[in-house]
Amino acid sequence: MGQPTPATDDGWWRSAVIYQVYVRSFADGDGDGTGDLAGVRARLPYLAELGVDALWFNPWYRSPMKDGGYDVADYRAVDPAFGTLAEAEKLIAEARELGIRTLVDIVPNHVSDQHPWFRAALAGGPERELFHIRPGRGEHGELPPNDWQSEFGGPAWTRLPDGDWYLHLFAPEQPDLNWAHPAVRQEHEDILRFWFERGVAGVRIDSAALLVKHPELPDVTEGRDPHPYVDRDELHDVYRAWRAVADEYGAVFVGEVWLPDAERFARYLRPDELHTAFNFSFMSCPWDAARLRRSIDDTLAEHAPVGAPATWVLCNHDVTRTVTRYGRADTGFDFATKAFGTPTDLALGTCRARAAALLSLALPGVVYVYQGEELGLPEADIPLDRIEDPMHARSGGTDPGRDGCRVPLPWAAGEPHAGFGGEPWLPQPDGWAAYAADRQAEDPGSMLRLYREAVRLRPVFGDGPPTWLPAPDGVLAFARADALCVVNLSDTPVDLPAHSELLLAGGPLDTAGRLPRDTAVWLRA
């Protein structure tokens, strides 16, 4: 077991580049078609060359995998499909030797229905109090206790054999925990210590605003304030207690907090709560200069009062990949409007994704890079009979789910399965090898080489906020330290501002030295 991190904070997380690892699809070390910790360990040199500061791992815990590992059966064990706890400890240590820290995912809202607590609850034990188990409504209790709906579609309640109902804001295999019970709070503080003592530098908190429920579990009625389960005031006591634990180890938190209210969002980032939270407005923006600038300004303004760094992300394991999203006519992101076979111009999407990468990496704060984004991977169409995401089934087949952004990575163009390992658990599309990391490493114009150079050069922007510069309509231009970032989202090429050196370009300038549409550059003032 690794030694605890000293209770010091050097602020590394305020400007870090953090790489998201979806283990199941990253690299297969044992040839069974499922990505694993051995595969990640073998690719640590690749990640070091990319220049990232930390790795965020989606859940690697023991799980029935009914929701990609977010249905956790044992937080202190690694799922056998991925490896062992000893391997996780080696991975954490080996990454740290390369200067790469490790963040793990915690899923506090719910557990798996195979978790010992829930199995004991079904057997009638006192563990029932650790969940939200209620009698139903109607003459014979045949109706759910309230009108809450699952995030995956359908009612958020499932009936038990004894006639009572249990709450699950996600899949039925993910019963919600009762955060009013002290045992639930104590268990999660113990889980944090367990991983911090193994050298983990931080934790990403899944569905961070959903844990606490109104004790009476009332219906969700239009305009109800406060909401019965989103962003409840009591939740802040939970995170203050967590922060005290993290501070003992010099560890950090990033919360998955989806809230439209800027003031309510910022409350989670007060100095005694979470260090950072994901910024989803930037990721959700269409390819539009005015809206992106407004998102950037609003994000920085939201974070300023609490002194927290902003986070920037273009894609994650739940979102249509950037190349595909930006290649669509409507480049905004909306969970409700995903559809099969949406026409996409991949050449256009790739140009925009390159520009967006330079934009996000030039901004102050933390940047998250989802695996495969540095390879310019598009969203994959998954055959209907191979889709595993429960969102697809629970939507009645109308939602394609999230598997399209979870297809195993291509590593070597000339090897079977593009060098991933065994036959992948999700099928790789035809032509996937064209995106292989080994091929891109040799191509100076590739997406991989662009990301490597951008991460290397990123410190030229210093630590200060951006100063917006005069620019034509449809163009974003700002300065930080002695560097400039210019992004052309207009329909025509534009002249570059005065500068002493071209540091990095997302694509070639035109013959007149102008910045083409859908292209970004970094300049030295």
Side-chain angles (χ1 to χ4, degrees):
M1 183 174 70
Q3 293 299 312
T5 304
T8 59
D9 177 10
D10 60 7
W12 67 271
W13 49 275
R14 289 186 167 273
S15 59
V17 177
I18 301 177
Y19 187 93
Q20 180 187 352
V21 179
Y22 192 79
V23 179
R24 196 178 184 190
S25 298
F26 185 73
D28 172 19
D30 62 8
D32 66 355
T34 296
D36 48 39
L37 301 189
V40 178
R41 291 174 63 199
R43 300 294 179 178
L44 284 175
Y46 167 89
L47 296 166
E49 189 170 5
L50 186 57
V52 299
D53 300 292
L55 306 177
W56 156 37
F57 288 89
N58 290 99
W60 57 24
Y61 316 107
R62 187 181 297 275
S63 168
M65 297 292 168
K66 299 299 183 181
D67 181 26
Y70 282 87
D71 48 321
V72 179
D74 185 351
Y75 259 119
R76 295 172 178 83
V78 170
D79 194 272
F82 301 145
T84 65
L85 179 59
E87 281 186 287
E89 292 171 348
K90 289 180 180 178
L91 171 55
I92 294 166
E94 290 168 356
R96 194 67 185 88
E97 290 174 0
L98 293 172
I100 302 173
R101 293 171 168 87
T102 297
L103 283 72
V104 296
D105 221 313
I106 296 292
V107 190
N109 180 70
H110 48 263
V111 293
S112 165
D113 61 357
Q114 300 303 305
H115 190 283
W117 278 2
F118 193 68
R119 299 182 72 164
L122 295 187
E127 290 82 0
R128 287 174 72 93
E129 296 180 3
L130 305 178
F131 301 90
H132 298 282
I133 298 177
R134 299 286 191 277
R137 296 189 291 190
E139 183 179 357
H140 304 290
E142 71 278 9
L143 301 176
N146 64 28
D147 65 355
W148 296 5
Q149 296 294 297
S150 164
E151 296 289 319
F152 289 166
W157 294 90
T158 291
R159 201 171 192 186
L160 294 168
D162 65 7
D164 281 346
W165 299 72
Y166 71 90
L167 176 68
H168 52 86
L169 289 181
F170 294 87
E173 296 86 0
Q174 296 167 296
D176 280 34
L177 290 166
N178 173 17
W179 275 87
H181 199 291
V184 173
R185 298 195 179 199
Q186 185 62 56
E187 169 68 358
H188 282 77
E189 291 175 25
D190 292 346
I191 290 168
L192 293 175
R193 292 182 187 278
F194 179 87
W195 287 106
F196 292 155
E197 289 173 0
R198 280 156 180 78
V200 163
V203 167
R204 180 263 191 184
I205 307 168
D206 182 70
S207 301
L210 303 184
L211 280 57
V212 176
K213 279 73 173 178
H214 189 295
E216 297 177 4
L217 304 182
D219 284 348
V220 177
T221 55
E222 189 68 30
R224 175 179 287 278
D225 187 23
H227 194 282
Y229 64 81
V230 177
D231 184 33
R232 305 249 342 144
D233 286 343
E234 306 95 308
L235 184 52
H236 295 282
D237 289 336
V238 173
Y239 292 137
R240 289 189 187 98
W242 283 28
R243 179 61 177 261
V245 174
D247 285 349
E248 295 178 27
Y249 297 87
V252 300
F253 292 121
V254 55
E256 183 191 28
V257 182
W258 293 81
L259 292 177
D261 186 308
E263 188 277 330
R264 299 289 300 186
F265 174 84
R267 295 179 73 208
Y268 289 86
L269 301 175
R270 289 175 291 193
D272 61 345
E273 294 193 41
L274 308 183
H275 299 74
T276 61
F278 282 124
N279 165 28
F280 293 111
S281 70
F282 181 78
M283 179 180 70
S284 304
C285 268
W287 190 246
D288 177 88
R291 291 182 63 177
L292 280 168
R293 176 168 173 172
R294 185 163 59 249
S295 174
I296 292 167
D297 286 341
D298 289 349
T299 296
L300 295 174
E302 289 170 7
H303 289 73
V306 289
T311 63
W312 311 101
V313 60
L314 297 173
C315 182
N316 62 34
H317 65 292
D318 289 331
V319 176
T320 301
R321 282 199 178 272
T322 309
V323 164
T324 298
R325 198 169 71 250
Y326 282 155
R328 291 174 175 168
D330 176 7
T331 58
F333 174 72
D334 185 342
F335 276 112
T337 60
K338 286 189 297 180
F340 292 101
T342 305
T344 299
D345 182 337
L346 289 184
L348 175 64
T350 299
C351 284
R352 291 174 170 176
R354 292 171 68 91
L358 293 190
L359 172 60
S360 62
L361 285 163
L363 292 169
V366 188
V367 175
Y368 282 81
V369 178
Y370 176 50
Q371 66 179 45
E373 287 291 287
E374 81 281 9
L375 300 177
L377 297 182
E379 188 83 355
D381 289 327
I382 307 299
L384 293 180
D385 62 348
R386 296 292 301 274
I387 294 176
E388 296 199 11
D389 186 0
M391 290 185 73
H392 175 65
R394 298 221 8 125
S395 71
T398 60
D399 190 317
R402 300 159 295 179
D403 288 346
C405 66
R406 300 175 177 181
V407 173
L409 298 189
W411 289 102
E415 296 182 10
H417 313 301
F420 172 71
E423 183 176 350
W425 68 280
L426 281 177
Q428 295 172 319
D430 292 340
W432 206 238
Y435 297 97
D438 67 341
R439 178 175 293 179
Q440 293 202 35
E442 301 301 321
D443 178 4
S446 70
M447 185 76 85
L448 176 59
R449 292 283 289 271
L450 179 71
Y451 263 90
R452 285 179 177 175
E453 189 66 3
V455 173
R456 185 184 71 82
L457 289 173
R458 188 171 183 243
V460 302
F461 286 98
D463 298 324
T467 298
W468 293 105
L469 304 175
D473 289 345
V475 177
L476 297 175
F478 60 84
R480 294 180 60 220
D482 66 345
L484 313 177
C485 176
V486 185
V487 188
N488 183 9
L489 297 89
S490 72
D491 293 331
T492 58
V494 296
D495 292 327
L496 297 177
H499 62 280
S500 63
E501 181 185 358
L502 174 62
L503 295 172
L504 185 61
L509 304 181
D510 71 8
T511 55
R514 297 174 300 180
L515 184 64
R517 60 178 296 183
D518 300 316
T519 308
V521 291
W522 289 358
L523 308 169
R524 194 181 300 278

